[in-house]
Amino acid sequence: MHRFANPTRFVALARAVQPWAMTIALATLFAGLWFGLLASPPDYQQGETVRIMYVHVPAAWMAMFCYTGMAGASAVALVWKHAVAHVTARATAPIGAAFTFLALVTGSLWGKPMWGTWWVWDARLTSVLILFFLYLGYMALENAFDDRARGQRAAAILAIVGAVNVPIIKFSVDWWNTLHQPASVVRLDGPSIHPSMLTPLILMAVGYTAFYIWVLCLRVRADINMSKVRALKLRNA
Amino acid sequence: MNGFSALLKRDLKLAYRQASDSLTVLAFFVLATVLFPLAVGPEPAILARIGAGVVWVAALLAAMLSMDRMFQSDYDDGTLELLVIAPAPLELCVLAKACAHWLTTGVPLIVAAPLMGLFLNLDPAGYGTLLLALALGTPSLSLIGAVGAALVLGARRGGALLSLLILPLFVPVLIFGVGAVEAALTDISARPQLFVLGALTLAALALTPWPAAAALRQAVE
């Protein structure tokens, strides 16, 4: 880990990983959408609307994955003062917020035909909405200081505090009687979902993850380049 | 513990000498509550239904209103730097600050809450539970708020930012605080909700001083 605390080395790694992540993301997203939207059977109860699942469920997974990654990177940044970890956390926040927004919007579009309402205040929906506000708060706090280093450190502490919400989201469907269904893929007794639907779901999940890595590499490189430009400008000023 | 009591005494003395600050928060609490009957109409049945929720929301907002002052004046005049290098653990200072905030904001809100219940036509059966729930829940608001207040020190637009940071974290307290009163009003035992409120406050007591102290250290670094 300490090896990659060096920005130059990290940028070289990101540059090498980026085209691979892009290829995997585009290939699996294309295949996943084809299987999900065209080549998988409609649900016996939900009909064609079940196809929203292939966009919604991986987005919700990524929303939590990105937050966990952001909190982990923030902890690393605070403990070992890795500058690159700060950059990674900062680059993750808008991506995670976008996934959370996508999960909320597609969930709402799915809820209307299935539950008869765009929104219910059940534990899963509320805790994901709070996750979205935590992302917004992180980004706002990050940008609220004239001194960039201050914003980074304050936002890192906030990201760690907000991590209490992640297990609440995961277990909200078990702890409360919610309209949202409980987990059907990540279960101790194996997935309770038919392989014809599991295949596109897994493809989409891989595609979303690869997309995250692709955009993360792009954003981290852009961020580090921006810092270099800023440093050069300061030197010449 | 010497540092704790000294800081607590100092903050209470400062609050007492500027009593108008605490009274402003109390006035905000009353006004925010009074707006609801004017907005949703004065039908007693509707007010009785939403009463507990309105009191809780107004209490949340009022507590938040005074929160950004928790460390701000000490940060501005340099006292905070002395607290950070003082031999007493900074976590204990945070606890003293949060305790002072609760005594000067939380307790007046609890005292004023029955009057608000009267305004909102709250069923007499709910008063005891409302007060108990507020007493159990509001300390956690001060503790969670301490983290937010420490994080926004020196930020632009600190007040608005603070609400974005800590209102999402207040949601569990709100849910169980209102849930306790609703349970009492429907003749179900309110004990589970009250226990959860107590647990939230105890967890906040144990956990929040660490991030708040870390935020204070990085603020004066």
Side-chain angles (χ1 to χ4, degrees):
Chain A
M1 192 170 61
H2 295 276
R3 229 180 96 77
F4 294 107
N6 176 338
T8 317
R9 205 173 278 153
F10 192 86
V11 165
L13 177 77
R15 202 197 296 267
V17 167
Q18 195 181 323
W20 288 99
M22 184 179 80
T23 315
I24 296 172
L26 291 178
T28 49
L29 283 178
F30 184 77
L33 282 176
W34 188 76
F35 273 111
L37 299 185
L38 300 167
S40 70
D43 188 70
Y44 81 104
Q45 264 184 332
Q46 306 192 15
E48 301 290 342
T49 50
V50 74
R51 302 188 194 286
I52 298 173
M53 173 179 76
Y54 305 119
V55 183
H56 170 77
V57 173
W61 285 345
M62 289 310 292
M64 295 204 297
F65 178 80
C66 287
Y67 196 92
T68 315
M70 196 172 91
S74 298
V76 169
L78 284 181
V79 173
W80 289 290
K81 301 200 187 296
H82 283 192
V84 177
H86 272 309
V87 175
T88 312
R90 179 167 58 220
T92 299
I95 313 175
F99 278 128
T100 314
F101 186 70
L102 184 66
L104 286 170
V105 169
T106 53
S108 177
L109 290 172
W110 198 7
K112 185 61 185 170
M114 286 303 106
W115 300 339
T117 172
W118 299 108
W119 185 263
V120 285
W121 289 102
D122 90 352
R124 175 57 71 82
L125 278 73
T126 310
S127 52
V128 173
L129 187 65
I130 291 175
L131 181 72
F132 184 61
F133 283 123
L134 286 172
Y135 276 120
L136 292 188
Y138 176 91
M139 290 189 277
L141 188 61
E142 164 91 56
N143 289 317
F145 294 89
D146 295 326
D147 175 8
R148 262 165 73 85
R150 275 292 311 279
Q152 279 178 359
R153 290 197 303 263
I157 295 173
L158 179 72
I160 295 167
V161 172
V164 293
N165 191 32
V166 174
I168 295 179
I169 297 177
K170 169 70 184 133
F171 296 111
S172 57
V173 284
D174 303 327
W175 291 343
W176 287 280
N177 282 320
T178 56
L179 200 50
H180 193 285
Q181 64 146 11
S184 51
V185 177
V186 188
R187 289 159 63 112
L188 283 179
D189 51 354
S192 63
I193 177 170
H194 193 269
S196 65
M197 290 181 175
L198 191 59
T199 311
L201 191 58
I202 297 289
L203 278 173
M204 289 298 281
V206 172
Y208 275 41
T209 314
F211 174 84
Y212 163 64
I213 295 172
W214 169 25
V215 179
L216 181 71
C217 289
L218 199 66
R219 288 186 60 88
V220 166
R221 285 173 55 198
D223 194 299
I224 291 176
N225 286 340
M226 283 289 285
S227 307
K228 283 182 188 161
V229 170
R230 201 174 298 119
L232 282 175
K233 272 186 180 161
L234 277 177
R235 200 175 300 160
N236 294 338
Chain B
M1 280 325 267
N2 253 342
F4 177 87
S5 56
L7 196 56
L8 183 62
K9 264 186 212 149
R10 165 183 173 271
D11 274 19
L12 289 180
K13 197 180 276 177
L14 284 175
Y16 177 71
R17 287 184 182 160
Q18 297 166 336
S20 65
D21 287 4
S22 294
L23 289 176
T24 313
V25 172
L26 200 57
F28 172 85
F29 174 60
V30 175
L31 265 173
T33 316
V34 166
L35 286 180
F36 280 86
L38 302 178
V40 301
E43 289 88 354
I46 297 180
L47 291 182
R49 175 70 193 78
I50 63 169
V54 169
V55 172
W56 262 104
V57 169
L60 238 63
L61 294 176
M64 207 192 60
L65 197 65
S66 56
M67 229 153 243
D68 61 330
R69 304 301 306 160
M70 207 188 285
F71 301 109
Q72 189 64 49
S73 55
D74 287 348
Y75 178 72
D76 291 339
D77 67 11
T79 312
L80 196 61
E81 281 168 40
L82 295 178
L83 286 178
V84 169
I85 57 169
L90 192 56
E91 287 77 10
L92 212 58
C93 297
V94 170
L95 275 182
K97 286 278 184 185
C99 192
H101 177 265
W102 182 70
L103 288 173
T104 53
T105 313
V107 172
L109 294 185
I110 297 171
V111 172
L115 183 64
M116 298 304 105
L118 202 70
F119 278 167
L120 294 166
N121 193 33
L122 188 71
D123 192 275
Y127 279 91
T129 316
L130 177 67
L131 292 187
L132 201 56
L134 281 170
L136 281 171
T138 45
S140 69
L141 301 184
S142 297
L143 287 161
I144 297 169
V147 180
L151 283 175
V152 299
L153 281 179
R156 299 184 300 266
R157 305 177 309 275
L161 185 60
L162 182 65
S163 59
L164 178 61
L165 300 190
I166 59 175
L167 279 183
L169 299 173
F170 281 177
V171 167
V173 182
L174 177 69
I175 289 174
F176 289 102
V178 178
V181 184
E182 303 251 298
L185 290 179
T186 45
D187 279 335
I188 311 170
S189 169
R191 286 163 63 94
Q193 280 90 346
L194 292 174
F195 283 150
V196 173
L197 275 180
L200 286 172
T201 294
L202 285 178
L205 191 65
L207 296 175
T208 55
W210 312 102
L216 290 179
R217 282 196 191 97
Q218 62 91 19
V220 299
E221 207 170 79

